[in-house]
Amino acid sequence: MTAVTERTTTGLEASARRHLWGHFSRHGDNITPPIITRGDGARIWDSTGKSYLDGLSGLFVVQAGHGRAELAEAAAKQAEQLAFFPLWSYATEPAIELAERLAGYAPGDLNRVFFTTGGGEAVESAWKLAKQYFKKVGKPGKHKVISRSIAYHGTPQGALAITGIPALKAPFEPLTPGAFRVPNTNIYRAPDPLGSDPKAFGIWAADRIAEAIEFEGPDTVAAVFLEPVQNAGGCFPPPPGYFERVRQICDEYDVLLVSDEVICAFGRIGSMFACEDFGYVPDIITCAKGLTSGYSPIGAMIASDRLFAPFADGTSMFAHGYTFGGHPVSAAVALANLDIFEREGLNAHVAEQAPAFRATLDKLTDLPMVGDVRGEGFFYGIELVKDKATKESFSDAEAERILHGFLSTALFDAGLYCRADDRGDPVVQLAPPLTCGQTEFDEMETILRSVLTEAWNLL
């Protein structure tokens, strides 16, 4: 280890190349990650002083925008009073208050809040709870889970098994057994004739869950994990009737419905919890990211009273936990962040501005490369195609050259931080801070139009 008293951009870059192991990052002698030094509102700055529009809220996280002094102050105030204490048979005031507040926002009888430090841990916790719950109520064979193709649910071994992206799982196999896949809700690529009938497609997609439960055996399936709007693959919203039918299926087979809202909660779609935007009540909600707007790490699994009941006999234990789960500083920041939501009406702002966001992005459909624009709220994906008439996608080599070789860098260089992703078909994803409006929407459209036009001309 070396002590450094003064840092230049060149020195930081060299140190990053030598010591920093980035997450989901490519590394090499000629690869230096941009160094982000500050943020304010919907903008970020790098170590050279260049400004960018944050079109992804960091990573679907910074709901209230960058530079919120009151959130930093809330963290400092709590750290001065009680910086840390675990929730292992003890409680802290911020954790109690935050649990009560989240239960108040959650639908139905989802009144029990189990804190984690992030979304993947919340998903892991939900699967473990589902397994133990069914053992305690006399159905020990129910342990399997069902999720959707291309869906991302996290990196821990259990959450990764639930994830439906083979390329992310292959390096770490064998994974936790018991996870199975069903089709997602990408109506743009729905089989004929379902692509022209959203209602029929939604019922068809939901019925594949019933089919999977029957195939695996209802006595073996514990839970279905679904995002309200699926992230990986490019923001797949649910078709009409989809979640209503899924809820019926889960009730029929006594299978828990887990709404994975790590991205979709806290105003990203509109409501505090996106399940309410789509009219269903799950048995468990998993959440993280926007709960603190990223100012401190925290996540949560919110479970129904029914699921908690077997653990309330005075002797039972959910033998699971995390040292930093419900960290008092993070909980205090979350409370202050939720105060901002309520004071500034961020949920209502998203509901009001979402049609304008969609309309602005829809302008890009006149470009030959833009096949589909889809999403909800402040969460959109733009699917890129080689041929709009046939919906032909790019080959793996072409996607590598276009997305990784050009688009990711070109968009950033043009002043827009967003995501160019090829975990399914090639897409560009956008999820700006919830404080944004038409000015930011127009800036995104202008940059995207210029860069996507240039990309097409390079083909």
Side-chain angles (χ1 to χ4, degrees):
M1 180 181 290
T2 58
V4 179
T5 57
E6 195 172 307
R7 287 288 192 185
T8 64
T9 297
T10 301
L12 282 170
E13 291 174 348
S15 185
R17 286 193 299 269
R18 178 66 183 89
H19 298 292
L20 185 62
W21 198 330
H23 298 201
F24 287 96
S25 300
R26 299 183 178 191
H27 294 275
D29 292 340
N30 297 319
I31 299 176
T32 300
I35 301 168
I36 307 304
T37 58
R38 69 184 181 95
D40 183 37
R43 306 204 74 82
I44 55 174
W45 283 261
D46 67 15
S47 55
T48 71
K50 183 177 177 179
S51 169
Y52 306 84
L53 176 62
D54 183 356
L56 204 64
S57 301
L59 193 61
F60 317 104
V61 170
V62 191
Q63 318 292 66
H66 298 276
R68 293 278 192 167
E70 68 187 272
L71 298 183
E73 291 164 1
K77 182 178 178 180
Q78 179 59 45
E80 288 177 357
Q81 181 174 334
L82 179 67
F84 173 75
F85 210 80
L87 298 182
W88 300 46
S89 300
Y90 296 86
T92 65
E93 290 183 27
I96 295 169
E97 292 176 14
L98 182 58
E100 180 181 28
R101 196 153 176 186
L102 291 175
Y105 293 137
D109 69 340
L110 276 73
N111 292 312
R112 290 290 176 166
V113 181
F114 183 94
F115 286 114
T116 67
T117 59
E121 291 176 355
V123 170
E124 195 86 359
S125 302
W127 192 2
K128 291 181 75 172
L129 174 60
K131 288 181 178 181
Q132 190 175 358
Y133 167 78
F134 280 116
K135 285 180 172 62
K136 292 186 72 65
V137 298
K139 297 183 177 181
K142 292 175 79 70
H143 68 281
K144 297 175 183 176
V145 295
I146 293 169
S147 61
R148 295 183 292 204
S149 172
I150 315 178
Y152 177 84
H153 292 283
T155 57
Q157 286 284 299
L160 187 58
I162 298 171
T163 290
I165 307 171
L168 294 187
K169 300 192 291 184
F172 309 106
E173 292 175 334
L175 302 175
T176 305
F180 300 89
R181 229 67 55 212
V182 294
N184 58 47
T185 59
N186 183 5
I187 194 169
Y188 180 66
R189 296 198 174 277
D192 290 332
L194 296 172
S196 58
D197 188 341
K199 178 79 172 181
F201 174 60
I203 300 303
W204 174 86
D207 282 345
R208 302 287 72 74
I209 295 173
E211 184 177 81
I213 293 171
E214 286 282 358
F215 184 82
E216 292 301 323
D219 291 341
T220 72
V221 180
V224 175
F225 282 72
L226 304 173
E227 295 169 279
V229 176
Q230 182 175 318
N231 169 39
C235 305
F236 304 143
Y242 176 78
F243 274 111
E244 180 183 359
R245 177 66 183 131
V246 170
R247 181 71 269 181
Q248 292 172 351
I249 291 166
C250 289
D251 290 342
E252 178 182 352
Y253 292 104
D254 192 18
V255 170
L256 304 182
L257 174 55
V258 182
S259 189
D260 184 357
E261 305 206 13
V262 172
I263 288 177
C264 292
F266 309 112
R268 180 56 55 194
I269 305 303
S271 299
M272 280 298 190
F273 292 111
C275 55
E276 296 204 289
D277 291 302
F278 300 116
Y280 67 98
V281 178
D283 300 290
I284 299 174
I285 292 173
T286 56
C287 59
K289 293 185 183 290
L291 178 50
T292 64
S293 285
Y295 285 71
S296 193
I298 197 170
M301 172 188 70
I302 309 172
S304 69
D305 289 334
R306 175 173 70 98
L307 299 186
F308 181 79
F311 298 90
D313 59 5
T315 59
S316 295
M317 177 191 300
F318 181 39
H320 176 63
Y322 301 98
T323 298
F324 296 113
H327 192 286
V329 172
S330 294
V333 172
L335 288 165
N337 180 56
L338 295 173
D339 286 343
I340 291 174
F341 267 78
E342 294 183 359
R343 185 177 68 245
E344 299 185 9
L346 292 185
N347 301 93
H349 177 77
V350 172
E352 292 165 0
Q353 293 295 315
F357 186 35
R358 173 63 187 255
T360 304
L361 295 179
D362 274 342
K363 294 178 182 178
L364 296 168
T365 57
D366 68 343
L367 297 177
M369 184 180 275
V370 175
D372 192 30
V373 174
R374 55 180 177 256
E376 294 285 345
F378 273 29
F379 185 35
Y380 271 85
I382 301 169
E383 183 169 335
L384 308 179
V385 294
K386 191 173 182 178
D387 188 317
K388 291 180 73 165
T390 64
K391 301 183 183 179
E392 179 187 359
S393 190
F394 298 97
S395 67
D396 290 345
E398 290 169 333
E400 169 69 22
R401 180 165 59 88
I402 294 167
L403 265 69
H404 297 289
F406 177 73
L407 275 180
S408 293
T409 300
L411 287 166
F412 192 69
D413 288 346
L416 176 62
Y417 166 69
C418 59
R419 168 184 269 181
D421 192 17
D422 61 352
R423 288 176 293 179
D425 294 300
V427 296
V428 174
Q429 283 186 290
L430 299 155
L434 308 188
T435 54
C436 288
Q438 193 62 54
T439 299
E440 290 80 15
F441 304 157
D442 288 339
E443 183 176 355
M444 281 185 270
E445 192 271 341
T446 298
I447 293 173
L448 284 163
R449 177 172 295 278
S450 174
V451 174
L452 291 176
T453 298
E454 186 177 356
W456 181 258
N457 292 335
L458 292 174
L459 290 176

